[in-house]
Amino acid sequence: MIRWLVAAILLLFGRGRPEPPPKPGLPPRPTHPRAELLVLALLALVPGAVVVFAVVYFTSANTQLLGLTLGGAFAFAAAASALAANRILPQDTHVEERPELDHPVEQAEVEELVADVGEGVTRKRLLVLAAGGAGSALAGALVLPGLSCGPDATKILTESPWRKGRRLVDEHGEPIPARAIELGGTITGFAEGADKERLASSVVVVHVRPDELDLPPDRAGWAPEGFAAYSKICTHAGCAVSEFRYPLYDPTSPKPALVCPCHYSTFDVSTGGHRIFGPAGRALPQLPLEIDGDGHLVAAGDFSGRVGPSWWGVRKS
């Protein structure tokens, strides 16, 4: 077993089976073991610089260090390539005068001699592996900054902070009492303890008469005493739904609706947020509500659908 291990190591480092001597006619190639070791060292520094680049990217994102480490990786790769091209790869040229070259037999012999001459590289396999590793590391370093091209929109859209029993709070973090919203009024609420910047954290609460509601059967208890909550993010382009239209005279006025001021998408609050006008492609997600023992508005569950504009199949959910 040890004999095979030693033989494998010697073979990997180019000291296994000796190169067959070149056939007579052409001189042997000189070897440059020190240059090969230096090239290997430079190639080994390439993934090392890439690792440092990744650490800086995920920890501090210092742009100067990012440029220095990534530039260093390319500098090491360039230095290794230049050294290999000038010191390791064959550079000499041999010309032999021949009066005629129309002899296929003799020409084949010359080509065979050239093909059989040693390349002058004692660690060819190791150099190829090192070059491949350095190239892969550089490719990974170039792909890594792609993580900064934008936020994880799928995660932002799908994750909701709302759960049964979570209170609605105002912009100051105070619980919202139901009595604070008069008939025909509206207020913006947030999930208690959640990041207000998240798309799914904000809702708009409206107060209508219970007899004005015509919610689907599975949402019969979602708007106690006429208090209904909907996502504040328009399903068209992600603008804030901030306008509430409430009828002053039922015979001639349209039904209660939430309106997005950006492109005038209009959502019917009486029927569960269905779009009745504008470019929005789907209904405004509704949040089920309850009124707790202290008279505060709390969530009775999660939204009826995914929050946000209709990107990446949200319309189908």
Side-chain angles (χ1 to χ4, degrees), residues 267-283:
F267 305 93
D268 187 353
V269 300
S270 302
T271 59
H274 290 95
R275 183 193 64 84
I276 56 179
F277 180 78
R282 61 189 179 96

Side-chain angles (χ1 to χ4, degrees), residues 66-81:
L66 288 175
L68 182 62
T69 52
L70 185 58
F74 278 98
F76 293 141
S81 301

Side-chain angles (χ1 to χ4, degrees), residues 103-186:
H103 303 283
V105 177
E106 290 78 0
Q107 185 173 351
E109 293 178 355
V110 172
E111 293 176 354
E112 184 179 357
L113 287 173
V114 173
D116 290 340
V117 172
E119 296 182 359
V121 182
T122 61
R123 298 177 176 84
K124 180 179 178 180
R125 295 182 181 180
L126 188 57
L127 286 170
V128 171
L129 290 176
S136 301
L138 287 176
L142 294 177
V143 173
L144 187 62
L147 299 176
S148 300
C149 289
D152 188 351
T154 303
K155 182 177 181 181
I156 295 175
L157 292 178
T158 56
E159 287 190 354
S160 172
W162 295 103
R163 302 291 184 271
K164 181 176 177 60
R166 194 158 200 174
R167 294 193 299 183
L168 279 70
V169 297
D170 59 19
E171 58 182 357
H172 304 294
E174 298 295 329
I176 299 177
R179 66 176 182 273
I181 310 174
E182 61 182 8
L183 184 65
T186 179

